[in-house]
Amino acid sequence: MIVWSAHVDVCDYAQTLVLARDRYRPAVVDVQQTYRRLEPVHLVFALVWGLGMLFPIGAHWSTGPAMVASLLALDAAGLVLVYLSGPAASIIVTPRHVIVRNPFRRYVIPRSVVEGLDTETHFTPHLLVRNARSVRPAALNLNLPRGYQMNAGRHHRQGVTSMLNRVPEEPNYGPAERRIRYGYLVLAAAAVGIAVAAARYMLAIEPM
């Protein structure tokens, strides 16, 4: 039975030797594959938000540096939240592990216990782990209706399966690890706090 542990993920010397050895194997295409969540909606929203905020900044330029700083802070906080909802999530396949990086939680799962991707049972795709709870990779979430989600899930299954096929598996029977990404939690809390403080200041200066 797989027990989730909270050990720090450290790349040991043996894995480094394995990666160096695989580099010279003709049959090996890649020693690591990465899938990062980056949808067109994230790019569009980031551009619209980032560039759109230039208009109120320009309009309030003469109001004073405090107002301009508040608008810039609000702009930056919005971009941080876009990043956390998109590119912060990824899946990395190495010869020994499948690493699922959700915005606030990270899973390091040995390849030997990964049984594939389930795109039918849940609303979002889940990575199946032998004798343990499945893991929801946030990188496979889509901001689309449920009907399209299932089709997209099959596409992602092919992508993840393809990564698993391209990266040769090395024997690894260690425990699966799970830990919180405290840095991203602090980043999210700071972005929300800054956005709320900036909005309150602007409303105090120019009440609606």
Side-chain angles (χ1 to χ4, degrees):
M1 180 176 181
I2 299 299
V3 178
W4 293 111
S5 61
H7 299 297
V8 177
D9 182 28
V10 179
C11 179
D12 57 3
Y13 180 68
Q15 184 174 358
T16 303
L17 293 179
V18 168
L19 296 179
R21 182 190 65 192
D22 285 341
R23 187 177 303 172
Y24 299 99
R25 289 183 180 179
V28 175
V29 177
D30 285 301
V31 294
Q32 178 173 303
Q33 292 282 310
T34 301
Y35 180 94
R36 187 174 298 276
R37 184 186 186 197
L38 186 59
E39 301 173 41
V41 65
H42 298 129
L43 295 175
V44 170
F45 190 83
L47 288 173
V48 170
W49 179 266
L51 298 178
M53 287 296 292
L54 296 178
F55 294 100
I57 290 173
H60 291 84
W61 190 263
S62 59
T63 306
M67 175 63 76
V68 173
S70 297
L71 289 169
L72 287 173
L74 191 62
D75 191 12
L79 293 177
V80 167
L81 295 177
V82 171
Y83 171 76
L84 291 175
S85 68
S90 65
I91 300 174
I92 301 174
V93 176
T94 72
R96 303 185 70 185
H97 296 97
V98 174
I99 304 171
V100 177
R101 291 178 174 174
N102 291 343
F104 304 122
R105 189 167 290 180
R106 183 185 186 203
Y107 302 85
V108 182
I109 308 167
R111 288 276 299 269
S112 58
V113 298
V114 174
E115 297 186 334
L117 196 68
D118 179 13
T119 61
E120 304 294 339
T121 306
H122 305 276
F123 182 74
T124 58
H126 277 59
L127 192 68
L128 299 177
V129 182
R130 186 184 309 131
N131 296 327
R133 294 181 60 182
S134 61
V135 175
R136 180 186 64 83
L140 302 185
N141 291 352
L142 290 178
N143 298 321
L144 296 169
R146 181 180 177 86
Y148 192 91
Q149 172 69 41
M150 293 297 99
N151 295 330
R154 295 188 181 92
H155 172 74
H156 289 319
R157 178 180 59 194
Q158 294 171 0
V160 173
T161 302
S162 178
M163 288 196 297
L164 291 171
N165 291 336
R166 286 197 300 268
V167 180
E169 181 179 347
E170 294 288 341
N172 180 21
Y173 301 98
E177 302 173 5
R178 177 182 62 185
R179 65 175 180 174
I180 296 175
R181 304 178 76 180
Y182 290 102
Y184 281 178
L185 278 175
V186 172
L187 184 62
V192 172
I194 289 173
V196 171
R200 291 184 63 181
Y201 175 80
M202 289 185 293
L203 290 175
I205 297 299
E206 295 185 2
M208 297 180 63

